[in-house]
């Protein structure tokens, strides 16, 4: 009984799993075979037509009947509830097509909510039920005139989803009308419909291009991305449509939605390659004089005309680069990748490196994103190693990485290798060779071979390392090592006959066919250098010839032929034997090769002429193979495209054209903007009187205006976007609500409103007082360029910080704003003038877009809040260390002092130094050093001070000059030195009035730390973050007197300035500190074990410092 019940439960669970699979398949638009074959029916007779399946069908039919009744009722509430359930079924992936007749009857409903849901349903099923959908076309046409913008857009969307050629004229008319709609949302929908209509009937191309041309002139950010997508789909070669809209698209770019940004950037990249000259022509001149090359100074104009002119960048070219730069901070990966490829293909070579940090940031994302980004970095790093070399550690392989991610990182590390960093990279590779991932280990060996080929200084080192790998237990590693060694030996075979002999000895133990074939090829190619070994290898191969793989047999035949030509006495019979075996081999390649070799090397009457050249044919010097990156030729495709990813031209791929030799006419992008400015001037009042004549230039060249627009705060963005929609004759309900809510939020605090109105009146006073200064708003060429490189970057970064924290800090901003009061007035009197000028520039640039200016209160609010917001941001702690972790006093201060200057060397002046282990008063990143100066002469020493120091960037806080040091007198002074977390000696000169003495302070590794206090829980949390490559450990045998708690703390504290962490275990002792310069946490654990042994573990991201500290601790704890 129990067995029968268990079987029925199992059967019901299986039925439920099948239903789930069918639902999932429907989601993925797959079709699963639900009918059973005869054999399956025979095996499972009870499942076909069982009670569960019948129950499911009955339940679905019952649900559909209920929904039909509700949809056909006279009550609007029941219909609305039924449509909500239907849309819910569609969202879950269930098929609701049976309800189409009942749903389509409600398409003419007057209830707006019900009509929206019906349109959602029709968009999903209109293509499947075309005949029934056609009956409702008159309703859709009426809905295109509906006062609600969402209904109009939904009707157009449904109409364009009915893919029947008969209604193409109706669709065309609807798209034309929607393109002139007041609502930007409807105009956006018409842009989407253009692509659907073009795929249905390509004969409408010319009419659609007219609509695209009209929509391209639209000033709404909601429409821009969609119409550019339609342009790319319908007429990507019609560059002339972009000319007049180029500057507008550049300026709107930062406010367009993310996927629209991707499309626009891709299109503008192709446009720029056809309209601007190459910025790479005169890199030498551009790199050395980057500012002067862009804006030529008066002095340069007076130079000899015969001198080569530096590159002059087109202002429109610069506009594109400047307006896309803020998008590198976007949260959307595709946007960042698009900007990176734009800079790669369009920017001068000295500016491309600004994308590096953004690309490295993307490596923290999912592995799918990592794969695409790493592919593009691999292509970039081949041509420009310097771009990614500072971020080399970001490409170190992690154990959690997938194989394809590991291979790409390996590729990039190999490309970045040079004489300076090759030792670090080879150390990494040594670890990778031991990986359990065999494919990755083999790739690492190939990478070592590439490094050896590219950097001649390490060729011998790499060869020796690869030879050691030949004794590895893993066959894959050995085989790959043999193949790489063969390629390396071809570059300099005369010097490495010992390696060939060593490989011949290992030949019997190697079983991988490719490795055996490589060894045979090496022995045959250089048989004259191993005359004794080669015949013996051939003898062994003759024995096992029939059991070898085909690739090994082919190389055996080659080896026999070469030995026959060079050493026929010993190998003639062996060669004939092998040729006879090959003559009857099953593989036709081996049979053909054998016949060819026999005719070539064994002379007879027929082929006597050919045998003369046998030596030259078989033993000709072969060129060494070139070990190249697999990504070397991928730069022929545009970065970030599917074609670049698959390394094959994909359908729809548009190639980047070459730069034109002569720049096309610049005037094609000029737009008449005088009339719109006059038309809008009255709405500005006082602020717009003297500006229209030069507003276009200000918008065009003003870096600060563009940058502020590109990275403004979220409040400004919302208000400006709502004003843009209203300015382009479009007022949607949703947008009205958002604008109203933003206005209400602006007025939520009466104090902030009061302070902003006060500062508004002050601004008007300043504007009336300083009319002459406004005329100087337009920056000079040189100022504009330096502004772009300097101040604007700061504004962009601060404004992006405002974006990220606008929600969380809005309250504090209003309080700070209101509390500042009179202090803010005093500051603005002396400092606000340039800010007012920048603000006015921003207003004029917005006018050029034909939009209303944002409310002055909102603009002033952002300018007033920015200093306080910056102050708040400066107070934020960005450290990843817990707030409970604090610097404490030293556990132990050793009294040992070190000689800085001997009295004999210093002509009577002696100096000693020691580390007092106190926080430095001058700078928190410095290490405090106590120096004792003694005068051992019989006359006073005057003006003792610190002179020159090296390295030049060394940051030292010197002690004050000692005016006079009497005979036999001593004085103690303190210095601060920032060692930058390195044990490199600080060299400087200790000077008196007459002499200069070169001295140096060499810190022990333990003196570079500051002790910190933390709980055991915090210690474990921090330790959990610092595992893997950040952990180093060793087991030592302790001295007997060091096996108790107190003696352990003493030697550890003597070696390193660390704090003691309380521990709940008697045999575990913990110590914590942080590096003085960078603040990196250093955690030390000493775990006592049996038989006087102890495990020392050090966790820190400064792995070099960790290994050095481990060495010192091992020495201190092991000795008595």
């Amino acid at each position: 009984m129990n067995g029968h019940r268990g079987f029925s439960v199992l059967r019901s669970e299986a039925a439920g799993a099948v239903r789930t699979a069918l639902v999932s398949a429907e989601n993925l638009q797959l079709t699963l075979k639900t009918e059973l074959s005869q054999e399956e029916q025979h095996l499972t007779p009870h499942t076909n037509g069982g009670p569960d399946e019948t129950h499911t069908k009955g339940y679905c039919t019952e649900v559909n009947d209920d929904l039909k009744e509700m949809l056909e009722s006279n009550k609007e509430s029941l219909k609305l509830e039924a449509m909500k359930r239907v849309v819910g079924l569609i969202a879950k992936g269930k098929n609701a097509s049976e309800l189409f007749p009942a749903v389509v009857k409600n398409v003419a409903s007057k209830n707006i909510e019900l009509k929206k849901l019906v349109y959602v349903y029709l968009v999903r099923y209109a293509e499947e039920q075309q005949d029934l959908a056609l009956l409702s076309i008159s309703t859709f046409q009426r809905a295109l005139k509906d006062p609600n913008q969402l209904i109009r857009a939904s009707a157009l969307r449904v109409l364009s989803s009915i893919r029947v050629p008969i209604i193409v004229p109706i669709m065309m008319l609807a798209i034309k009308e929607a393109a002139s709609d007041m609502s930007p949302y409807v105009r956006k929908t018409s842009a989407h419909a253009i692509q659907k209509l073009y795929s249905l009937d390509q004969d409408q191309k010319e009419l659609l291009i007219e609509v695209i041309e009209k929509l391209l002139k639209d000033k709404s950010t909601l429409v821009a991305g969609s119409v550019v997508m339609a342009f790319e789909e319908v007429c990507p070669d019609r560059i002339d449509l972009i000319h007049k809209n180029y500057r507008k698209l550049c300026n709107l770019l930062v406010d367009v939605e993310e996927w629209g940004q991707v499309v626009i950037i891709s299109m503008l990249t192709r446009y720029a390659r056809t309209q601007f000259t190459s910025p790479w022509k005169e890199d030498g001149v551009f790199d050395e004089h980057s500012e002067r090359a862009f804006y030529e100074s008066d002095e340069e104009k007076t130079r000899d005309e015969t001198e080569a002119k530096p590159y002059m960048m087109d202002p429109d070219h610069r506009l594109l680069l400047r307006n896309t730069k803020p998008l590198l901070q976007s949260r959307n990966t595709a946007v960042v990748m698009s900007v990176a490829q734009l800079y790669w293909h369009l920017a001068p070579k000295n500016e491309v490196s600004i994308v590096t940090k953004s690309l490295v940031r993307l490596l923290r994302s999912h592995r799918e994103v990592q794969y695409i980004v790493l592919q593009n970095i691999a292509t970039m790093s081949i041509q420009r190693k310097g771009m990614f070399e500072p971020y080399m550690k970001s490409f170190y392989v992690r154990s959690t990485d997938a194989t394809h991610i590991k291979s790409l990182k390996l590729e990039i590390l190999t490309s970045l290798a040079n004489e300076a960093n090759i030792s670090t990279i080879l150390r990494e590779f040594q670890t990778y060779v031991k990986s359990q991932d065999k494919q990755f280990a083999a790739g690492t060996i190939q990478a070592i071979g590439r490094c050896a080929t590219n950097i001649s200084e390490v060729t011998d080192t790499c060869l020796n390392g690869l030879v050691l790998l030949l004794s590895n237990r893993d066959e894959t590693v050995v085989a790959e090592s043999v193949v790489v060694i063969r390629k390396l030996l071809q570059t300099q075979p005369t010097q490495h006959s010992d390696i060939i002999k060593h490989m011949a000895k290992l030949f019997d133990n190697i079983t991988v066919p490719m490795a055996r074939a490589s060894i045979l090829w090496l022995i045959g190619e250089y048989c004259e250098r191993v005359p004794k070994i080669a015949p013996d290898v051939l003898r062994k191969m003759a024995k096992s010839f029939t059991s070898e793989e085909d690739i090994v047999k082919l190389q055996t035949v080659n080896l026999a032929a070469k030995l026959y030509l060079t050493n026929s006495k010993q190998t003639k019979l062996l060669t004939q034997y092998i040729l006879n075996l090959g003559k009857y081999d099953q593989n036709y390649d081996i049979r053909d090769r054998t016949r060819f070799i026999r005719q070539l090397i064994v002379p007879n009457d027929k082929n006597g002429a050919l045998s003369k050249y046998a030596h030259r044919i078989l033993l000709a010097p072969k060129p060494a193979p070139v070990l190249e990156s697999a990504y070397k030729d991928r730069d022929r495709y545009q970065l970030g495209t599917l074609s670049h990813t698959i390394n094959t031209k994909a359908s729809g791929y548009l190639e980047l054209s070459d730069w034109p030799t002569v720049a096309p006419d610049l005037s094609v992008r000029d737009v008449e903007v005088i009339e719109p400015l006059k038309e809008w001037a009255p709405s500005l009042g006082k602020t717009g009187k003297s500006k229209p004549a030069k507003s276009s230039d200000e918008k065009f060249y003003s870096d600060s205006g563009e940058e502020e627009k590109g990275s403004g705060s979220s409040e400004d963005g919302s208000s400006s976007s709502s004003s843009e929609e209203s300015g382009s004759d479009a007022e949607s309900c949703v947008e009205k609500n958002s604008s109203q809510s933003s206005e209400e939020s602006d007025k939520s605090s009466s104090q902030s409103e009061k302070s902003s109105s006060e500062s508004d009146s002050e601004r008007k006073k300043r504007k009336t007082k300083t009319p002459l200064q406004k005329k100087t708003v337009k920056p000079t060429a040189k100022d504009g360029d330096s502004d772009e490189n300097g101040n604007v970057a700061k504004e962009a970064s601060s404004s992006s910080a405002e974006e990220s924290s606008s929600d969380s800090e809005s309250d504090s901003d209003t309080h700070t704003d209101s509390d500042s009061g009179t202090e803010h007035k005093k500051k603005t009197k002396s400092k606000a003038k340039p800010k007012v000028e920048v603000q006015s520039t921003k207003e004029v640039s917005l006018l050029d877009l034909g939009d209303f200016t944002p409310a002055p209160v909102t603009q002033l609010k952002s300018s007033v809040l920015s200093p306080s917001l910056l102050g708040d941001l400066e107070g934020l702690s960005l450290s990843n260390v817990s707030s409970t972790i604090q610097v404490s006093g030293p556990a132990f201060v050793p009294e040992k002092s070190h000689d800085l200057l001997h009295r004999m060397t210093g002509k009577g002046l002696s100096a000693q130094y020691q580390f007092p282990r106190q926080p430095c008063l001058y700078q928190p990143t410095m290490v405090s050093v106590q120096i004792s100066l003694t005068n051992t002469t019989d006359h006073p020493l005057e003006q003792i001070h610190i002179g020159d120091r090296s390295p030049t960037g060394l940051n030292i806080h010197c002690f004050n000059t000692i005016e006079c040091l009497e005979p036999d007198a001593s004085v103690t002074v303190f210095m601060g030195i920032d060692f930058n977390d390195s044990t490199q000696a600080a060299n400087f000169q200790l000077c008196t009035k007459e002499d200069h003495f070169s001295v140096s302070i060499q810190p022990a590794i333990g003196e570079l730390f500051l002790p910190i206090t933390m709980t055991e829980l915090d210690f474990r949390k921090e330790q959990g973050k610092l595992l893997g490559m950040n952990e180093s450990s060793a087991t030592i045998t302790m001295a007997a007197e060091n096996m108790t708690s107190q003696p352990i703390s003493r030697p550890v504290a003597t070696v390193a300035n660390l704090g003691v962490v309380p521990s709940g275990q008697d045999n575990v002792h913990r110590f914590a500190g942080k590096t003085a310069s960078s603040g990196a946490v250093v955690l030390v654990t000493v775990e006592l074990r049996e038989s006087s042994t102890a495990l020392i573990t050090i966790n820190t991201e400064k792995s070099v410092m960790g290994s050095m500290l481990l060495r010192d601790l091992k020495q201190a704890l092991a000795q008595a």
Side-chain angles (χ1 to χ4, degrees):
M1 192 72 179
N2 290 334
H4 179 69
R5 186 183 304 160
F7 180 73
S8 62
V9 170
L10 185 64
R11 195 172 63 189
S12 63
E13 288 178 356
V18 170
R19 285 199 297 273
T20 306
L22 290 171
V23 170
S24 303
E26 205 169 327
N27 279 335
L28 297 169
Q29 297 180 351
L30 299 173
T31 304
L32 293 181
K33 189 181 81 170
T34 54
E35 294 84 18
L36 298 176
S37 64
Q38 291 183 356
E39 293 84 354
E40 290 168 334
Q41 290 176 11
H42 178 70
L43 290 172
T44 55
H46 300 289
T47 57
N48 192 11
D52 290 326
E53 190 174 340
T54 307
H55 174 71
T56 304
K57 286 182 179 178
Y59 175 75
C60 293
T61 307
E62 187 180 338
V63 169
N64 287 343
D65 291 341
D66 290 344
L67 290 173
K68 283 179 183 176
E69 287 180 15
M70 294 172 72
L71 288 168
E72 291 170 358
S73 69
N74 294 325
K75 293 184 179 180
E76 294 289 335
S77 59
L78 283 176
K79 291 182 178 180
L80 189 60
E81 179 63 28
M83 281 310 303
K84 287 180 181 177
R85 293 186 187 178
V86 171
V87 173
L89 289 173
I90 296 172
K92 292 177 180 177
K94 296 186 177 178
N95 187 8
S97 59
E98 293 179 7
L99 300 170
F100 196 93
V103 172
V104 82
K105 291 176 184 176
N106 296 292
V107 76
S109 173
K110 293 181 180 179
N111 187 316
I112 293 177
E113 293 299 318
L114 178 59
K115 188 176 282 191
K116 287 180 191 174
L117 293 173
V118 170
Y119 282 160
V120 169
Y121 178 90
L122 292 177
V123 168
R124 170 67 180 83
Y125 289 110
E127 193 170 345
E128 297 178 14
Q129 306 273 354
Q130 293 177 354
D131 296 335
L132 287 172
L134 283 172
L135 298 175
S136 307
I137 279 190
S138 58
T139 311
F140 300 144
Q141 288 179 289
R142 283 197 303 273
L144 289 170
K145 310 288 185 185
D146 195 278
N148 188 318
Q149 59 165 353
L150 295 176
I151 297 297
R152 297 198 300 276
S154 299
L156 180 59
R157 194 179 295 116
V158 175
L159 197 59
S160 60
S161 299
I162 304 173
R163 301 181 60 80
V164 181
I166 303 172
I167 64 166
V168 165
I170 300 174
M171 287 173 63
M172 190 72 237
L173 187 63
I175 288 171
K176 281 186 175 180
E177 290 179 358
S180 306
D181 198 278
M182 292 177 61
S183 167
Y185 181 64
V186 178
R187 300 199 297 275
K188 177 188 178 77
T189 308
S190 72
H192 292 164
I194 288 172
Q195 303 168 57
K196 295 180 182 178
L197 179 54
Y198 181 71
S199 65
L200 182 63
D201 183 7
Q202 298 191 2
D203 295 336
Q204 304 293 323
K205 182 173 182 179
E206 293 305 320
L207 293 172
L208 291 174
I209 289 176
E210 292 177 11
V211 182
I212 290 172
E213 186 174 9
K214 182 178 182 179
L215 288 173
L216 279 171
K217 296 174 183 175
D218 201 304
K219 295 181 173 63
S220 171
T221 55
L222 203 62
V223 181
S226 300
V227 68
V228 171
M229 187 67 227
F231 170 83
E232 291 280 80
E233 194 74 25
V234 177
C235 52
D237 54 335
R238 286 291 302 274
I239 295 294
D240 56 293
L241 300 179
I242 305 297
H243 289 322
K244 299 291 184 186
N245 304 294
Y246 171 81
R247 293 170 188 167
K248 183 199 70 180
L249 287 172
C250 289
N251 290 322
L252 288 181
L253 193 56
V254 290
D255 296 320
V256 178
E257 82 275 5
E258 292 169 335
W259 297 113
Q261 288 173 344
V262 174
V263 175
I264 293 174
I265 290 171
S266 176
M267 184 273 294
L268 291 178
T269 304
R270 289 194 303 106
Y271 177 86
R273 286 292 286 257
T274 63
Q275 300 300 310
F276 307 129
T277 55
S278 172
W280 310 329
K281 283 182 180 177
E282 301 181 30
D283 276 333
V285 178
F286 197 99
D287 287 346
E288 292 170 14
H289 315 288
S290 56
E291 292 182 9
R292 287 179 297 184
F294 187 43
Y295 296 110
E296 194 173 5
S297 65
D298 295 334
E299 295 177 2
E300 288 175 330
K301 289 180 180 178
T302 60
R303 290 181 181 176
D304 188 4
E305 293 183 359
T306 59
E307 187 178 346
K309 291 182 180 179
Y311 169 74
M312 303 279 290
M313 181 175 280
D314 189 302
D316 286 332
H317 192 170
R318 173 58 63 190
L319 176 72
L320 176 59
L321 294 175
R322 187 169 61 224
N323 283 14
T324 51
K325 183 178 177 181
L327 298 180
L328 287 170
Q329 300 172 6
S330 173
R331 290 172 297 178
N332 188 298
T333 309
V335 175
V336 178
M337 195 63 244
S338 296
V339 179
Q341 66 86 21
L342 180 137
Y343 265 79
W344 178 258
H345 293 296
L346 300 181
K349 291 185 178 178
N350 63 325
E351 295 182 24
V352 178
S353 57
I354 68 168
V355 307
T356 308
K357 189 175 290 187
S358 300
L359 288 175
V360 172
R361 171 172 64 87
L362 299 182
L363 297 181
R364 301 171 189 164
S365 189
H366 305 291
R367 63 172 60 176
E368 295 82 7
V369 173
Q370 286 183 44
Y371 179 67
I372 299 298
V373 174
L374 285 170
Q375 275 199 326
N376 288 276
I377 291 176
T379 303
M380 292 178 173
S381 61
I382 291 171
Q383 293 187 19
R384 301 181 193 172
K385 296 183 179 181
M387 276 180 64
F388 296 96
E389 196 174 340
Y391 302 95
M392 191 172 69
K393 288 185 179 178
S394 301
F395 304 110
Y396 285 174
V397 173
R398 299 179 181 179
S399 58
T400 54
D401 287 336
T403 302
H404 58 281
I405 301 293
K406 291 178 180 177
S407 301
L408 280 167
K409 287 185 174 181
L410 196 63
E411 184 71 37
I412 294 168
L413 285 174
T414 309
S415 298
L416 296 180
N418 56 33
E419 291 83 354
N421 59 27
I422 185 63
S423 58
T424 307
I425 289 177
L426 285 179
R427 277 202 301 273
E428 275 293 303
F429 286 174
Q430 286 175 9
T431 309
Y432 300 163
V433 168
K434 301 172 186 175
S435 171
Q436 297 299 316
D437 187 340
K438 304 307 176 190
Q439 182 182 345
F440 173 57
T444 304
I445 293 170
Q446 292 177 6
I448 293 173
R450 273 180 58 196
C451 290
T453 307
N454 298 335
I455 304 168
S456 57
E457 289 82 358
V458 296
T459 303
D460 292 340
T461 307
C462 292
L463 259 177
N464 294 334
L466 291 171
V467 170
L468 291 175
L469 290 177
L470 293 176
S471 55
N472 196 294
R473 294 180 181 178
D474 188 357
E475 289 185 356
T476 310
V477 173
V478 174
E480 203 63 43
S481 301
V482 169
V483 174
V484 174
I485 288 172
R486 175 179 65 80
K487 294 177 180 178
L488 290 178
L489 288 183
Q490 283 185 256
T491 59
Q492 40 187 351
T494 55
Q495 306 171 15
H496 299 291
S497 57
D498 292 339
I499 294 178
I500 298 174
K501 292 177 183 177
H502 182 65
M503 292 169 72
K505 291 176 183 176
L506 294 173
F507 183 76
D508 293 338
N509 299 326
I510 295 173
T511 57
V512 179
M514 189 65 198
R516 291 174 68 84
S518 295
I519 295 176
L520 290 174
W521 185 91
L522 271 176
I523 294 172
E525 188 67 18
Y526 308 113
C527 55
E528 294 176 352
R529 293 190 174 82
V530 283
K532 295 181 180 179
I533 294 176
D536 194 51
V537 171
L538 183 64
R539 179 182 59 80
K540 290 181 180 178
M541 289 308 302
K543 286 182 179 180
S544 60
F545 184 86
T546 53
S547 60
E548 297 287 349
E549 294 290 331
D550 292 342
I551 189 173
V552 182
K553 290 179 180 179
L554 287 172
Q555 291 304 326
T556 305
V557 172
N558 286 348
L559 173 62
K562 292 172 183 177
L563 287 176
Y564 183 86
L565 294 173
T566 57
N567 188 6
S568 59
K569 289 183 180 179
Q570 283 185 291
T571 58
K572 184 176 181 179
L573 293 175
L574 276 174
T575 303
Q576 289 178 355
Y577 176 70
I578 289 172
L579 291 177
N580 287 332
L581 289 175
K583 184 177 179 180
Y584 301 104
D585 196 87
Q586 293 180 352
N587 188 291
Y588 59 84
D589 283 337
I590 297 170
R591 295 198 299 271
D592 288 349
R593 176 71 62 87
T594 303
R595 293 189 185 102
F596 167 71
I597 293 294
R598 186 187 296 276
Q599 296 298 320
L600 183 63
I601 64 173
V602 182
N604 56 34
D605 297 337
K606 296 179 181 179
N607 65 348
L610 186 62
S611 61
K612 296 177 184 177
Y613 303 101
H615 201 281
R616 291 172 60 183
I617 293 173
L618 291 174
L619 294 172
K622 280 86 173 174
V626 181
L627 299 174
E628 292 181 342
S629 169
Y631 290 82
K632 187 177 182 182
D633 59 341
R634 290 206 186 193
D635 56 353
R636 66 181 185 271
Y637 298 114
Q638 184 177 349
L639 293 185
T641 59
L642 176 63
S643 298
H644 177 270
T645 302
I646 62 177
N647 199 22
T648 306
K649 188 173 181 179
S651 61
Y653 173 71
L654 299 171
E655 290 187 359
L656 284 179
S657 60
D658 294 329
W659 295 99
T661 52
V662 179
D665 185 15
L666 304 180
S667 61
V668 294
R669 289 184 290 278
D670 293 339
V671 183
E672 293 291 334
V673 291
I674 299 173
E675 290 182 4
L677 283 172
K678 287 181 179 177
E679 191 177 341
W680 286 108
S683 67
L684 274 176
K686 294 181 181 180
T687 59
K689 287 184 178 178
S690 60
K691 295 178 188 176
K694 58 182 178 180
S695 64
S696 62
D697 290 340
E698 288 176 1
K699 178 189 77 170
F700 199 72
Y701 291 105
S702 158
D703 294 339
S704 58
E706 295 299 330
E707 292 286 334
E708 284 180 6
K709 181 182 175 189
S711 54
S713 67
S714 58
E715 292 180 7
D716 286 344
S718 62
S719 60
S720 64
S721 63
S722 60
S723 64
E724 278 178 4
E725 307 309 343
S726 59
S728 56
D729 299 330
E731 291 183 348
S732 66
C733 300
V734 181
E735 287 152 0
K736 281 182 180 178
N737 293 337
S738 64
S739 62
Q740 287 172 3
S741 63
S742 63
E743 288 173 9
E744 288 172 5
S745 64
D746 289 341
K747 295 176 182 178
S748 61
S749 172
S750 60
Q751 292 179 344
S752 62
E753 182 183 353
K754 184 177 178 181
S755 61
S756 62
S757 63
E758 288 176 1
S759 51
D760 188 21
S761 61
E762 284 181 21
R763 185 179 67 169
K764 291 181 179 177
K765 289 179 184 178
R766 287 197 296 275
K767 286 185 177 180
T768 54
K769 286 181 183 178
T770 58
L772 293 175
Q773 283 191 344
K774 281 189 181 178
K775 294 180 181 179
T776 63
V777 170
K778 183 177 179 181
T780 61
K782 214 163 190 177
D783 291 341
D785 195 55
S786 62
D787 233 358
E788 180 193 344
N789 296 331
N791 300 331
V792 171
K794 293 179 183 176
E795 287 178 14
S797 62
S798 65
S799 59
S800 64
E802 281 183 41
E803 269 185 12
S804 62
S805 59
S806 59
D807 293 332
S808 61
E809 295 187 0
S810 58
D811 296 331
S812 62
D813 286 345
T814 54
H815 291 308
T816 314
D817 186 17
S818 58
D819 294 341
S820 59
T822 56
E823 292 179 9
H824 181 69
K825 289 185 180 181
K826 293 177 184 178
K827 290 179 182 177
T828 52
K829 285 182 181 179
S830 59
K831 296 183 179 178
K833 291 180 182 179
K835 285 202 172 189
V836 173
E837 293 167 12
V838 172
Q839 198 69 24
S840 63
T841 307
K842 184 178 178 181
E843 290 175 7
V844 175
S845 66
L846 284 171
L847 263 181
D848 283 342
L849 303 179
D851 299 328
F852 290 109
T853 56
V857 174
T858 309
Q859 288 188 351
L860 194 61
K861 182 176 178 183
S862 64
S863 64
V864 168
L865 287 181
S866 54
S868 63
L869 182 58
L870 285 173
D872 292 342
L873 289 175
E874 286 173 0
L876 290 175
S877 173
L878 299 179
S879 173
N880 58 355
V881 182
S882 172
S883 58
T884 59
I885 300 173
Q886 298 176 348
V887 177
S888 64
F892 174 73
V893 180
E895 298 179 355
K896 182 181 179 181
S897 59
H898 311 272
D899 283 336
L900 181 65
L901 181 66
H902 193 268
R903 60 187 179 84
M904 299 298 292
T905 312
K907 297 182 180 179
L909 175 65
S910 74
Q912 291 187 321
Y913 70 91
Q914 67 182 70
F915 297 94
R917 293 191 174 180
Q918 296 295 334
C920 186
L921 300 175
Y922 313 118
Q923 274 188 22
T925 59
M926 289 184 172
V927 176
S928 184
V929 183
Q930 175 182 320
I931 299 179
S932 300
L933 301 169
T934 306
N935 183 2
T936 60
T937 65
D938 54 0
H939 59 275
L941 296 174
E942 298 179 349
Q943 296 182 5
I944 303 174
H945 62 279
I946 300 295
D948 297 335
R949 64 200 76 174
S950 68
T952 52
L954 186 65
N955 189 8
I956 294 181
H957 188 282
C958 308
F959 57 83
N960 294 329
T961 302
I962 301 171
E963 296 297 334
C964 182
L965 185 62
E966 298 296 332
D968 297 326
S970 296
V971 65
T972 301
V973 292
F974 288 89
M975 294 175 61
I977 304 176
D978 187 350
F979 289 102
N980 198 21
D981 292 346
S982 169
T983 54
Q984 183 180 0
N987 302 309
F988 56 92
Q989 287 188 333
L990 189 60
C991 308
T992 62
K993 188 176 181 179
E994 292 122 9
D995 297 302
H996 304 274
F997 309 106
S998 295
V999 296
S1000 66
I1001 294 180
Q1002 178 84 41
I1005 188 66
E1007 304 299 340
L1008 303 179
F1009 305 132
L1010 293 174
I1012 57 176
T1013 56
M1014 62 168 67
T1015 63
E1016 185 175 359
L1017 181 62
D1018 287 332
F1019 186 96
R1020 292 179 183 276
K1021 284 182 181 178
E1022 294 297 328
Q1023 193 175 34
K1025 301 175 187 176
L1026 298 169
L1027 300 175
M1029 294 180 65
N1030 298 323
E1031 181 177 271
S1032 51
S1033 60
T1035 303
I1036 62 167
T1037 302
M1038 299 270 290
E1041 48 270 26
N1042 285 343
M1043 288 299 291
T1044 57
S1045 174
Q1046 187 63 27
I1048 283 183
S1049 301
R1050 184 63 178 267
V1052 172
T1054 304
V1055 169
N1057 186 18
L1058 301 172
V1060 180
V1061 177
S1063 176
Q1065 300 166 277
D1066 293 338
N1067 65 325
V1068 178
H1069 307 279
R1070 298 183 173 90
F1071 307 88
K1074 68 174 186 177
T1075 59
S1077 183
S1078 63
V1081 175
V1082 180
L1083 308 176
V1084 177
T1085 308
V1086 181
E1087 182 184 349
L1088 302 180
R1089 296 184 172 179
E1090 297 177 357
S1091 64
S1092 300
T1093 59
L1095 174 65
I1096 306 174
T1097 307
I1098 297 178
N1099 300 83
T1100 178
E1101 62 185 36
K1102 300 286 185 180
S1103 53
V1104 176
M1105 298 182 74
S1107 59
M1108 295 174 71
L1109 178 60
L1110 180 63
R1111 182 194 61 199
D1112 291 353
L1113 287 176
K1114 283 165 59 179
Q1115 187 176 354
L1117 292 173
Q1119 64 187 10

